Amino acid sequence: MKKMILILLGMLFLPTLALAEDAPISEMAFVLNTFSFLIMGILVMWMAAGFGMLEAGLVRSKNTATICLKNISLFGIAGILFYLFGYNLMYAGVDGGFIGSFGFWSADDAAALTGDFSGGYAASSDWFFQMVFCGAACSVVSGCVAERIKLWGFLAFCVILTGFIYPIQGSWGWGGGWLSEMGFADYAGSTIVHSVGGWAALTGAIILGARKGKYSKDGRVNPLPGSNIPLATLGTFILWMGWYGFNGGSVLALGDAASAIEMSNVIANTNMAACGGMIASMIMVQIMYKKVDVTMGLNGALAGLVSITAGPATPSLGSAVLIGAVGGILVVLAVPFFDKLRIDDVVGALSVHLVCGIWGTMAVPITDPDASFVTQFIGVAATGAFVVITSSMAWFALKYTIGIRVSDEEEMLGCDATEIGMEAYPDFQRVSIGGSSGLSGYATSPVARVSSKKVLN
Amino acid sequence: MKKMILILLGMLFLPTLALAEDAPISEMAFVLNTFSFLIMGILVMWMAAGFGMLEAGLVRSKNTATICLKNISLFGIAGILFYLFGYNLMYAGVDGGFIGSFGFWSADDAAALTGDFSGGYAASSDWFFQMVFCGAACSVVSGCVAERIKLWGFLAFCVILTGFIYPIQGSWGWGGGWLSEMGFADYAGSTIVHSVGGWAALTGAIILGARKGKYSKDGRVNPLPGSNIPLATLGTFILWMGWYGFNGGSVLALGDAASAIEMSNVIANTNMAACGGMIASMIMVQIMYKKVDVTMGLNGALAGLVSITAGPATPSLGSAVLIGAVGGILVVLAVPFFDKLRIDDVVGALSVHLVCGIWGTMAVPITDPDASFVTQFIGVAATGAFVVITSSMAWFALKYTIGIRVSDEEEMLGCDATEIGMEAYPDFQRVSIGGSSGLSGYATSPVARVSSKKVLN
Amino acid sequence: MKKMILILLGMLFLPTLALAEDAPISEMAFVLNTFSFLIMGILVMWMAAGFGMLEAGLVRSKNTATICLKNISLFGIAGILFYLFGYNLMYAGVDGGFIGSFGFWSADDAAALTGDFSGGYAASSDWFFQMVFCGAACSVVSGCVAERIKLWGFLAFCVILTGFIYPIQGSWGWGGGWLSEMGFADYAGSTIVHSVGGWAALTGAIILGARKGKYSKDGRVNPLPGSNIPLATLGTFILWMGWYGFNGGSVLALGDAASAIEMSNVIANTNMAACGGMIASMIMVQIMYKKVDVTMGLNGALAGLVSITAGPATPSLGSAVLIGAVGGILVVLAVPFFDKLRIDDVVGALSVHLVCGIWGTMAVPITDPDASFVTQFIGVAATGAFVVITSSMAWFALKYTIGIRVSDEEEMLGCDATEIGMEAYPDFQRVSIGGSSGLSGYATSPVARVSSKKVLN
């Protein structure tokens, strides 16, 4: 009796002890851990809408409806595949290895329902939280390969990515696999989510090839400006908001004061990195091009967010600003770099998620003494190699079966007309954004574009 | 003393006992129950924005500003009417009967403020949570009857629906009325919210009649495509997000582990049903029409969400996918069905909320052994009969007093110009989407529509 | 031992005692206070997106991309400046005085990590919550001065406002300064946030001058209609949603039943005031102009929200409706009033945030017996005087250094083309909304505007 009272008192008054291995987890801690997974998971789900709006704003209006459908349906696919294969491949019986096990996931809360709260949280709340991360990795891909990929080819790739590629590499660092045993530190997924999406997008963009008209034979890069900047801004705001849940929820607990403090630091740092990335990219663009660029500012904020994601708990606010600012500068340099390589990334996803995902992962040891640069590099490289190889296999397999690229004529008409038979904005008269063929000679000055009076197609 | 310690220990370690009738509800449980109502209620409020954006995207641009105003002002009306009449008609003194009592609602937290937490939650948190559901039922109506209804006539109907029709039928199943005593199972409102909105919309659509130009005399159905697909997509994402709160909050508790587990299962199932509905409808449309349709995909996700709403706690994830998938297929069949009946539903609200609301309610006994098909059918039928009769009376009363339908000329010009004197997108040149009269001969091919160079009006 | 058990029991069963000064704050209360700050703070951050969408919808399309960039980058600036200067100027060592201290902020959770929870919440959660309020004050300004202000001049003003003006006046009422010692009551910031933004915007609008073409020499006021009403509606919905966090989080606690009850009342009242403001403004506009106006309805809802913000805890639901309704009526009267003074406020920010901020602050004593009209007036006047003086100094300093107003030609072409070299909607053909110069003779009838076939610039 006395011992139990002491345990009880310890649990209430000495929180760090309360979660020590021998002490029981209280029911309230169980409830709060669960509620945190649910609320933070809902915020991460909301990022799917953020990606959708960002991409819908950055493609040309003839492809807008298609990118909308892709973004919402990939989230539907992620849910089903993560249930059928993903969760168990990522978390069931990894045991220091390279892959979990096959099998549908199902909730098991038997212990908690009989009063043993040592599991820490409701099973489905954890499943939900992990599933929305899987969806986020997939959302990275859609923007990069937009405007020339076939709908069903893309969705087939989503099945492979969310059901197999993402969870298998995820098992290494988060499922108790070999990378986690090495001490690889990736708090909320700069590598495991963002660079994975980035590598998959990179292989897709290379195998698909660039959009018609993007790169002239004389080496010129033709901007194909996004059709709806407020939507892109909304998407960025949504992503910024959702990222509080993405990183904050990755504390994986809210049952004691230490977790609540960590969650607070993580959320504050996440915000500061976004601030740093946005302001740094705006200043950088102003210096380099003598004029700010709204999409660069938006991508700068996202770059800051990706950069802090691998280690949001250890920096001070000031360090978080700097980590994000480096991301913001990297994105400004990376966008023309990929264009130089003639890798056509419609929304800048490679610059944001791949480049800054790598930067963020490598930056962890700067503020976290438990992390090492060598291990971080091994994690980045191994994940990259795995995703590049498996994604390439998937893209090629799809290319030579159901096909992944629309025909030139379909691309000229726009995927909305040919893939889904529905325009995004049917009521509005469009300006010509090309010559009579629509395939080349894109006007680059906004004023020139507006003064053109031809109607597309 | 010893006994109190035992109670205390029991409360902490035996949660299911802790909420048994004899045990006190702890203050932390009270706080968490309350916070759950608030946060989940905020998510449900957000669905009002989701309906607004969905409908703004699916009407033609000449009616967009009007539908925006309707959606936000109906939520304002719902708040006031649910305070003045609704809450007490739904929850005060129903006692197994057919209606509560009249009277303004006011919060009473006297017991809790003196340390008696047996009420379970703060009064206003419950009021808020119930009010946003009332708003949701009303939001279902606006999309269906859009583009030809008078603003003030519509708002007057909202007063009747949110102040009287919704709460009276709600008292039957949720307020302790006759349906709940029979064992009618409607967890979060497939019938009580969605089909109620659907029946009210159905009577409105029939009494108003179809939009000019929708149905030709030769029996042809002319698509009048929505003007802004990204907005419709955003609306669907918002609704999907808000639905986690709609169903998750309907656990009505978060004060113990059992509630947290149930909430987690509900939210995971809600997500899976949306996935199932969306993917099933996309596949179905691809098979039937050889091309996917983005609005069908969006409505498929919503169909899945409505379908799971009556019983989201009992299915496994796999069953939830299937329940949603049936909803997604039903919506693909129901849209042409209503068109065949020449019932003009602008956004597919009847197919989503009425048809799938019925399906979802009837599907509960499949996974919930405590529910019976007969009782479910009685609930569906009685609710339908009550809402059809009372809504018809309301629509007719309004028709012969302040009027509900705009004139043909106003309809041709668009409600934005005639009802609210403000365009939704005044800066953009519109393509003609009809002949010179704007009333007939709508082009159906996207390419044809775009190539048209005439400016509307 | 016995004493500790009694404390423990007291803590669990006598919540109001548990937070009395002598009793320890429990760890669960610490966690819940922290989580409330985080979740409600995330909702307030979301208001930045709401302001962004509202303003993007209410400017003309040639300035849309610029206003988007301003709204997201001002939030980035607010984060950095509130870290560098703001928080400590507002909260560190104010001691009944007029200003805090200089110095970067950093989190200190040492006590809580050793089991002393008397601090009440994690330091970063409080910082985050206060920072988003700072961002909100700044968001008020951007809409008012839109369409003619230089990007970098505006952002420089944001630095001054968020780093110095806002936090210094904030220290008076919220940081333990002289106003709080007098008993000034401003629960969530009708004065400290909204009127501060309003005064700063007022000085900016006067010093900048009106947009070209807004006021004719013959005294006529020319409406320059917003370009995207659904975006403005979305922004209003977002603000409405975020306001639950703005006011609800301002309870500053969730660790006991009393706080949870207060939060519930605050959120319910916040909603009712929005309802009252929206419906009152719609009825008022219908009576005055014989036709509703969607932007007036939106601003009416926001007016109700601002009006309740100074005292959302004490009114009944009915009183909250009335307080909001007065705000909704004030906004309908204030908009033409400012136009009469030829103060050009693009989005109605002065009418909403300044006028209703004052009204809401003065209305507190009506329902809160602890507040006095004299003290409220002193708070309103002192804050107004301080912000008008400091803002004017800032605007003038910027005017005569880096410049704040774009040239007439840039204004005619639109800030998107000249300030950021990117259009918001490049694919769509625009109607002329002016004569050949684009500077005068704006068409006022929607029908006339649409029938115009000239393409702007």
Side-chain angles (χ1 to χ4, degrees):
Chain A
M1 181 67 209
K2 208 169 161 185
K3 202 184 146 195
M4 286 194 72
I5 293 173
L6 283 172
I7 290 172
L8 179 64
L9 291 172
M11 205 172 67
L12 284 163
F13 291 102
L14 301 167
T16 47
L17 288 182
L19 281 183
E21 287 183 31
D22 295 335
I25 291 180
S26 84
E27 183 169 14
M28 283 300 128
F30 182 97
V31 170
L32 284 165
N33 292 340
T34 299
F35 196 56
S36 168
F37 271 144
L38 295 176
I39 298 299
M40 297 305 179
I42 291 171
L43 285 172
V44 180
M45 174 272 176
W46 185 221
M47 292 172 70
F51 280 107
M53 294 302 109
L54 179 68
E55 297 172 16
L58 293 182
V59 299
R60 288 164 294 170
S61 60
K62 65 180 178 179
N63 297 309
T64 301
T66 305
I67 201 75
C68 287
L69 183 60
K70 279 177 195 162
N71 271 280
I72 197 162
S73 57
L74 77 82
F75 187 74
I77 286 171
I80 293 174
L81 268 290
F82 205 69
Y83 154 64
L84 292 178
F85 303 106
Y87 188 94
N88 280 345
L89 280 176
M90 190 155 167
Y91 290 106
V94 182
D95 285 337
F98 292 82
I99 189 167
S101 57
F102 278 88
F104 300 176
W105 180 84
S106 67
D108 179 3
D109 293 298
L113 288 169
T114 55
D116 168 10
F117 304 119
S118 58
Y121 43 76
S124 290
S125 70
D126 169 51
W127 181 86
F128 179 68
F129 188 72
Q130 303 301 343
M131 179 274 292
V132 289
F133 275 67
C134 177
C138 195
S139 295
V140 172
V141 182
S142 59
C144 182
V145 299
E147 303 207 282
R148 76 276 205 194
I149 197 167
K150 281 189 179 179
L151 175 67
W152 288 105
F154 172 75
L155 295 181
F157 184 78
C158 294
V159 167
I160 299 166
L161 181 66
T162 61
F164 306 96
I165 298 175
Y166 170 82
I168 290 173
Q169 64 80 32
S171 75
W172 304 352
W174 285 352
W178 67 279
L179 271 178
S180 72
E181 301 220 331
M182 279 185 71
F184 179 62
D186 190 10
Y187 201 90
S190 286
T191 287
I192 293 170
V193 179
H194 294 281
S195 83
V196 164
W199 292 117
L202 176 68
T203 55
I206 292 172
I207 294 167
L208 271 171
R211 288 168 291 171
K212 300 288 163 199
K214 176 67 184 173
Y215 303 113
S216 304
K217 279 177 188 162
D218 59 5
R220 206 156 49 94
V221 177
N222 301 304
L224 306 176
S227 54
N228 196 324
I229 298 302
L231 268 196
T233 307
L234 176 65
T236 306
F237 268 121
I238 293 173
L239 286 165
W240 191 325
M241 181 193 195
W243 229 292
Y244 297 134
F246 197 90
N247 289 358
S250 293
V251 179
L252 307 179
L254 183 65
D256 54 11
S259 303
I261 291 168
E262 185 169 323
M263 188 183 285
S264 304
N265 293 336
V266 165
I267 287 177
N269 281 336
T270 299
N271 187 74
M272 297 315 283
C275 297
M278 154 155 269
I279 302 301
S281 74
M282 284 176 68
I283 293 173
M284 187 81 179
V285 170
Q286 176 74 33
I287 291 170
M288 284 174 65
Y289 303 103
K290 310 296 169 216
K291 200 168 250 192
V292 287
D293 176 312
V294 58
T295 59
M296 236 10 145
L298 302 178
N299 272 337
L302 299 176
L305 289 163
V306 172
S307 302
I308 200 68
T309 292
T314 46
S316 66
L317 291 197
S319 303
V321 172
L322 296 178
I323 290 167
V326 172
I329 291 167
L330 282 175
V331 93
V332 175
L333 301 172
V335 167
F337 171 77
F338 284 111
D339 270 337
K340 201 160 233 171
L341 298 177
R342 301 175 87 85
I343 296 169
D344 184 14
D345 175 5
V346 178
V347 302
L350 301 178
S351 306
V352 168
H353 299 277
L354 178 54
V355 173
C356 294
I358 294 171
W359 151 244
T361 308
M362 294 310 299
V364 175
I366 300 172
T367 62
D368 182 355
D370 294 339
S372 95
F373 287 107
V374 173
T375 311
Q376 297 301 95
F377 179 77
I378 292 171
V380 167
T383 305
F386 175 75
V387 179
V388 166
I389 293 167
T390 50
S391 294
S392 300
M393 289 166 55
W395 287 119
F396 278 117
L398 293 168
K399 181 174 178 175
Y400 297 114
T401 51
I402 62 175
I404 52 174
R405 176 128 192 173
V406 300
S407 72
D408 287 4
E409 200 199 337
E410 288 170 329
E411 188 174 343
M412 186 194 79
L413 290 168
C415 297
D416 290 3
T418 62
E419 290 272 298
I420 59 169
M422 177 172 284
E423 283 179 275
Y425 308 104
D427 287 7
F428 305 113
Q429 200 155 335
R430 286 195 263 179
V431 293
S432 170
I433 52 166
S436 56
S437 77
L439 287 176
S440 58
Y442 292 83
T444 53
S445 139
V447 177
R449 259 184 285 119
V450 172
S451 65
S452 167
K453 295 210 179 58
K454 276 203 209 101
V455 176
L456 182 61
N457 309 322
Chain B
M1 182 69 208
K2 209 169 161 184
K3 201 184 147 198
M4 287 193 72
I5 293 173
L6 284 172
I7 291 173
L8 180 64
L9 291 172
M11 206 172 68
L12 285 163
F13 292 103
L14 301 166
T16 45
L17 288 182
L19 282 183
E21 287 183 31
D22 296 334
I25 291 182
S26 84
E27 183 169 15
M28 284 299 128
F30 181 95
V31 169
L32 284 165
N33 293 340
T34 299
F35 196 56
S36 169
F37 272 145
L38 294 177
I39 297 299
M40 297 304 179
I42 291 171
L43 285 171
V44 180
M45 173 273 176
W46 185 221
M47 292 171 70
F51 280 108
M53 294 302 109
L54 179 68
E55 296 172 15
L58 293 182
V59 299
R60 288 165 294 171
S61 60
K62 64 181 178 178
N63 296 310
T64 302
T66 305
I67 202 74
C68 287
L69 183 61
K70 278 176 193 162
N71 271 280
I72 197 162
S73 57
L74 77 82
F75 187 73
I77 287 171
I80 293 174
L81 269 291
F82 205 67
Y83 153 65
L84 292 178
F85 303 106
Y87 188 93
N88 281 345
L89 280 176
M90 191 155 167
Y91 290 107
V94 182
D95 286 336
F98 292 81
I99 189 167
S101 58
F102 278 88
F104 300 175
W105 179 84
S106 66
D108 179 5
D109 292 299
L113 288 169
T114 54
D116 169 8
F117 305 120
S118 58
Y121 42 76
S124 291
S125 71
D126 169 51
W127 181 85
F128 178 69
F129 189 72
Q130 302 301 343
M131 179 273 293
V132 290
F133 275 67
C134 177
C138 194
S139 294
V140 172
V141 182
S142 59
C144 182
V145 297
E147 303 207 281
R148 76 277 202 194
I149 198 168
K150 282 189 178 178
L151 175 66
W152 289 106
F154 172 74
L155 295 181
F157 182 80
C158 293
V159 167
I160 299 166
L161 181 66
T162 60
F164 307 96
I165 297 175
Y166 171 81
I168 291 171
Q169 65 80 31
S171 75
W172 303 352
W174 285 352
W178 68 279
L179 270 177
S180 71
E181 301 219 330
M182 280 184 71
F184 179 62
D186 190 9
Y187 200 91
S190 286
T191 287
I192 293 170
V193 179
H194 294 280
S195 84
V196 164
W199 292 117
L202 177 68
T203 55
I206 293 172
I207 293 167
L208 271 171
R211 288 167 292 170
K212 300 287 164 202
K214 176 68 185 173
Y215 303 113
S216 304
K217 279 177 187 161
D218 58 4
R220 208 157 47 97
V221 176
N222 301 304
L224 305 177
S227 54
N228 196 324
I229 297 302
L231 268 196
T233 307
L234 176 65
T236 306
F237 268 122
I238 293 173
L239 286 165
W240 191 326
M241 181 193 194
W243 229 291
Y244 297 133
F246 197 90
N247 289 359
S250 293
V251 179
L252 306 180
L254 183 66
D256 55 10
S259 302
I261 291 167
E262 184 169 323
M263 188 182 286
S264 304
N265 292 337
V266 165
I267 287 177
N269 281 336
T270 299
N271 187 73
M272 297 316 282
C275 297
M278 154 155 270
I279 303 302
S281 74
M282 284 176 68
I283 293 172
M284 187 82 178
V285 170
Q286 176 74 33
I287 292 170
M288 284 174 65
Y289 303 102
K290 310 295 170 214
K291 200 169 251 191
V292 286
D293 176 312
V294 58
T295 58
M296 238 6 148
L298 302 179
N299 272 337
L302 299 176
L305 289 162
V306 172
S307 301
I308 200 68
T309 292
T314 47
S316 66
L317 292 196
S319 304
V321 172
L322 295 178
I323 290 168
V326 172
I329 291 167
L330 283 174
V331 93
V332 175
L333 302 173
V335 167
F337 171 76
F338 284 111
D339 270 336
K340 201 160 233 170
L341 298 178
R342 300 174 88 86
I343 295 170
D344 184 14
D345 175 5
V346 177
V347 302
L350 301 177
S351 305
V352 169
H353 299 277
L354 177 55
V355 173
C356 295
I358 294 170
W359 152 243
T361 308
M362 295 311 298
V364 175
I366 300 172
T367 62
D368 182 356
D370 294 339
S372 95
F373 288 107
V374 174
T375 311
Q376 296 301 95
F377 180 78
I378 292 172
V380 167
T383 305
F386 175 76
V387 179
V388 166
I389 293 166
T390 51
S391 294
S392 301
M393 287 165 57
W395 287 120
F396 277 118
L398 293 168
K399 181 175 179 175
Y400 296 114
T401 51
I402 62 175
I404 51 174
R405 176 130 191 172
V406 300
S407 72
D408 286 4
E409 200 199 337
E410 288 170 329
E411 187 175 344
M412 186 194 78
L413 290 168
C415 297
D416 290 1
T418 62
E419 289 272 298
I420 59 169
M422 176 172 285
E423 283 180 275
Y425 309 104
D427 287 7
F428 305 114
Q429 200 154 335
R430 287 194 262 179
V431 293
S432 169
I433 51 166
S436 56
S437 76
L439 288 176
S440 59
Y442 293 82
T444 51
S445 139
V447 176
R449 261 185 281 120
V450 171
S451 66
S452 168
K453 294 210 179 58
K454 276 206 209 99
V455 176
L456 182 61
N457 308 324
Chain C
M1 181 69 209
K2 208 169 161 185
K3 202 182 146 196
M4 286 194 73
I5 294 174
L6 283 172
I7 290 172
L8 180 64
L9 292 172
M11 205 172 67
L12 285 163
F13 291 103
L14 300 166
T16 47
L17 288 182
L19 281 184
E21 286 182 34
D22 295 336
I25 291 181
S26 83
E27 183 168 15
M28 283 299 127
F30 182 96
V31 169
L32 285 165
N33 292 340
T34 299
F35 196 56
S36 168
F37 271 144
L38 295 176
I39 298 299
M40 297 303 179
I42 291 171
L43 285 171
V44 179
M45 174 274 175
W46 186 221
M47 291 171 70
F51 280 107
M53 294 302 109
L54 179 68
E55 297 172 16
L58 293 183
V59 298
R60 288 165 294 170
S61 59
K62 64 180 177 178
N63 297 309
T64 301
T66 305
I67 201 75
C68 287
L69 183 60
K70 279 176 194 162
N71 271 281
I72 196 163
S73 57
L74 76 82
F75 188 74
I77 287 172
I80 293 175
L81 269 290
F82 204 69
Y83 154 63
L84 293 178
F85 302 106
Y87 188 93
N88 280 344
L89 280 176
M90 191 156 167
Y91 290 106
V94 182
D95 286 337
F98 292 82
I99 189 167
S101 57
F102 277 88
F104 299 175
W105 179 84
S106 67
D108 180 5
D109 292 299
L113 289 169
T114 55
D116 169 9
F117 304 120
S118 58
Y121 42 76
S124 291
S125 70
D126 170 50
W127 181 84
F128 179 69
F129 188 72
Q130 302 301 343
M131 180 273 293
V132 290
F133 275 67
C134 177
C138 194
S139 294
V140 171
V141 181
S142 60
C144 181
V145 298
E147 302 206 283
R148 76 274 205 195
I149 197 168
K150 281 188 180 179
L151 176 67
W152 288 106
F154 172 75
L155 295 181
F157 183 79
C158 294
V159 167
I160 298 166
L161 181 66
T162 60
F164 306 97
I165 298 175
Y166 170 81
I168 291 172
Q169 65 80 30
S171 75
W172 303 352
W174 285 352
W178 68 279
L179 271 177
S180 73
E181 300 219 331
M182 280 185 71
F184 179 63
D186 190 10
Y187 200 90
S190 287
T191 287
I192 293 170
V193 179
H194 293 281
S195 84
V196 164
W199 292 117
L202 177 68
T203 56
I206 292 172
I207 293 167
L208 270 172
R211 288 168 291 171
K212 300 286 162 200
K214 177 68 185 173
Y215 303 113
S216 304
K217 279 175 188 163
D218 60 3
R220 206 157 49 96
V221 177
N222 301 304
L224 305 177
S227 54
N228 196 325
I229 297 302
L231 269 196
T233 307
L234 176 65
T236 306
F237 268 122
I238 293 173
L239 286 165
W240 191 325
M241 181 193 195
W243 229 291
Y244 297 134
F246 198 90
N247 290 358
S250 294
V251 179
L252 307 179
L254 183 65
D256 56 10
S259 303
I261 291 167
E262 185 169 323
M263 188 182 285
S264 304
N265 292 337
V266 165
I267 287 177
N269 281 336
T270 299
N271 187 74
M272 297 316 283
C275 297
M278 154 156 269
I279 303 302
S281 73
M282 284 176 68
I283 293 172
M284 186 81 177
V285 170
Q286 176 74 33
I287 292 170
M288 284 174 65
Y289 303 102
K290 310 295 169 217
K291 198 169 253 194
V292 286
D293 176 313
V294 58
T295 59
M296 237 7 147
L298 302 179
N299 272 336
L302 299 176
L305 290 163
V306 173
S307 301
I308 200 69
T309 292
T314 46
S316 66
L317 291 195
S319 304
V321 172
L322 296 177
I323 290 168
V326 172
I329 291 168
L330 283 174
V331 93
V332 175
L333 302 173
V335 166
F337 171 77
F338 284 111
D339 269 337
K340 201 161 234 169
L341 298 177
R342 301 174 88 86
I343 296 170
D344 184 14
D345 175 5
V346 178
V347 302
L350 301 177
S351 306
V352 169
H353 299 277
L354 179 54
V355 172
C356 295
I358 294 170
W359 152 242
T361 308
M362 296 310 299
V364 175
I366 300 171
T367 62
D368 182 355
D370 294 340
S372 95
F373 287 108
V374 174
T375 310
Q376 296 301 94
F377 180 78
I378 292 171
V380 167
T383 304
F386 174 76
V387 178
V388 166
I389 293 167
T390 51
S391 294
S392 300
M393 288 166 58
W395 286 120
F396 277 118
L398 293 169
K399 182 175 179 177
Y400 296 115
T401 52
I402 61 174
I404 51 174
R405 176 128 192 173
V406 300
S407 71
D408 287 5
E409 200 199 337
E410 288 170 330
E411 188 175 343
M412 185 193 79
L413 290 168
C415 297
D416 290 2
T418 62
E419 290 272 299
I420 60 169
M422 177 172 284
E423 283 180 274
Y425 309 103
D427 287 8
F428 305 114
Q429 200 155 336
R430 286 195 262 178
V431 293
S432 171
I433 52 167
S436 57
S437 77
L439 289 176
S440 58
Y442 293 83
T444 52
S445 139
V447 176
R449 261 185 282 121
V450 172
S451 66
S452 167
K453 294 210 180 57
K454 278 207 208 96
V455 175
L456 181 61
N457 307 324

